[in-house]
Amino acid sequence: MAISIPSNQPPPHQFKSIPLVRLLLHILIPSAIILIGVGGYFSLKKLVHINVFGMELGEEKKTLSTRKPQSNKRPMFRTKAMPLEAQDYTIKLRSQGEVRAHNATTLTAQVNGRISNISGKFEDGAFFSKGDILLEIDPADYNTELASSQAQLARAKANFAQEKARAKQALLNWKDAGFKEEPSDLVLRKPQLQEAEATVTSATSSVQRAIRNLERTKVRAPYDGRVSKRRVGLGQQVGGSTPLGDIFSTDFAEVRLPLTTRDLQYYTPPQKPGEHGKKNNITFSSILTGIDKHWQGTILRAEGELDEKSRQLFVIARIDDPFALNSQSHPIYIGQPMRATIPAVMLKKVFIIPRAYMSGLNEVLLIREGTFKRLSIDPIWSGDDIVVTRGGIQEGDHLSIDRLPYAPDGAPVEILADDKPENRTTNGVSKRIGKKRIRPAK
């Protein structure tokens, strides 16, 4: 059976040429785009900017021959520094306490009566000396008592004299009677004589007591001191248990200072009888604002037990002449809070690091042989402003006193002789090189 072919279809050999053309188009067009891009890249490689639509957006790059050679040197840091030298350092312990009186007394009367006179030295804040009369109690009753006791003494003495005479006469009568034996005590009136003598002794004691009571109507100061507070007034009736006022001594004051167990590793307070610290080796300063004065003191003794709550040992320090009565120093007030600086042991050949110049916690930034070296230190002692250490630091090292948190280990550094702003940038990196400096070792 024969198959008929329409007359409008192409001949059979043309079906093979159409896929070939399409294949060539798929290959040639991408290849042309790639070649154009590569050519454009190499042509633009010589330009920094491009001329687009008549606008000049760049300039021709310099060739390798016209470029300036780049330096491979690391940036030079510049900083101020202080030399570190081994030295002896005396540890100074810090403590504080309140000033208290050496002797504080509540004054009381020894006799009853009405206050008849008050001295001007028995006013609040007044000074007095030992033996001064501070106030007086009406002595009228005690004068009468003295006169009565004196009269009783006179009668007792008269009676005693009569008994002695009777005893002597009794002995004569016994002999005149011709008795051969010795007379008895009753004959010689010895019991009556002893009774009369005892009466004289008792009356004498009464007189002495009356004299003392009369003297006690004048209340005297027991020591050199000062009045804290007067508690009675003129005309007031007082007794033996009535508080007249509060007084304290002014010869020296005491300060009770706590020491921690850490402090006791470097300081041994006086512990034996009669032992005390070096005289006036403690420096006191006032915590109160507006008083920029210093006083010297001596540690007298230590308390025998640790405080139950804080586990601290308290030592007692003495400040002589606290009210500046015999000197030109500034007076101290009872109850005034004080800071104390106590010298302790001496550390040999240590390095003292100001705390403000440390770059981190127990870390310092050293300059050794012209380069930076970060070093972690082991503090032997630390205070408010300094840290004392010994290991790791060498003679000739310098301590950077500028804050350079990003300065790398081993970076070259120049030590500035001054701290002018034009000599360094804000981050410590040198703006210019050429000044005299410590060069890093090769």
Side-chain angles (χ1 to χ4, degrees), residues 196-266:
E197 185 179 9
T199 303
V200 172
T201 303
S202 176
T204 302
S205 299
S206 297
V207 171
Q208 292 175 350
R209 181 173 62 251
I211 294 174
R212 287 196 302 269
N213 288 339
L214 181 61
E215 181 64 25
R216 287 168 180 170
T217 59
K218 299 178 180 180
V219 180
R220 299 180 182 272
Y223 43 70
D224 294 346
R226 195 172 185 179
V227 179
S228 175
K229 184 177 181 59
R230 196 187 76 187
R231 297 178 178 270
V232 293
L234 190 64
Q236 182 175 343
Q237 185 73 23
V238 297
S241 60
T242 304
L244 305 178
D246 300 324
I247 61 174
F248 55 86
S249 61
T250 56
D251 52 350
F252 66 89
E254 293 182 343
V255 184
R256 188 169 179 257
L257 301 172
L259 295 179
T260 65
T261 53
R262 173 176 175 263
D263 295 337
L264 295 177
Q265 297 177 7
Y266 303 99

Side-chain angles (χ1 to χ4, degrees), residues 100-114:
R100 68 183 188 184
H102 173 219
N103 291 312
T105 307
T106 298
L107 203 62
T108 57
Q110 293 181 282
V111 294
N112 301 331
R114 182 180 60 86

Side-chain angles (χ1 to χ4, degrees), residues 10-19:
H13 64 273
Q14 293 182 0
F15 289 98
K16 298 180 181 179
S17 61
I18 293 175

